[in-house]
Amino acid sequence: MGHVLVVGGTGMLADVSKWHAKRYHKVSIIARDKLKMQKIERESSFYSPFLKPRYVSI
C-alpha cells in the first residue's frame, strides 16, 4: 500500500484518484471545489477510508 498525492484530483484527474483508491493506496487529493470532492467521495464510498481530501483556497 502506497501513498499518492494528486493535485487537482477532482477535475481531469478524478479517474486517477479513484483508480488509486480502488487499489487500496492512501490518496491525498488537493482540491479547491468541495462539491467536486464530495462527488468523488460518493462515487468511491467503499474506498473512502483511503481518500484524504485537502482543501485549498486561492
Side-chain angles (χ1 to χ4, degrees):
M1 176 186 333
H3 189 159
V4 178
L5 172 65
V6 183
V7 178
T10 60
M12 68 181 203
L13 295 175
D15 289 337
V16 172
S17 301
K18 291 185 276 186
W19 185 87
H20 281 289
K22 289 178 183 176
R23 277 141 188 87
Y24 304 106
H25 298 133
K26 293 180 185 175
V27 182
S28 294
I29 300 174
I30 304 294
R32 292 181 290 160
D33 190 328
K34 284 189 178 188
L35 293 176
K36 285 183 181 180
M37 186 63 221
Q38 289 169 348
K39 179 182 177 194
I40 297 287
E41 290 174 310
R42 277 193 313 276
E43 292 173 352
S44 304
S45 62
F46 180 77
Y47 306 101
S48 62
F50 299 99
L51 296 174
K52 307 294 180 203
R54 305 287 186 248
Y55 298 103
V56 296
S57 62
I58 295 177

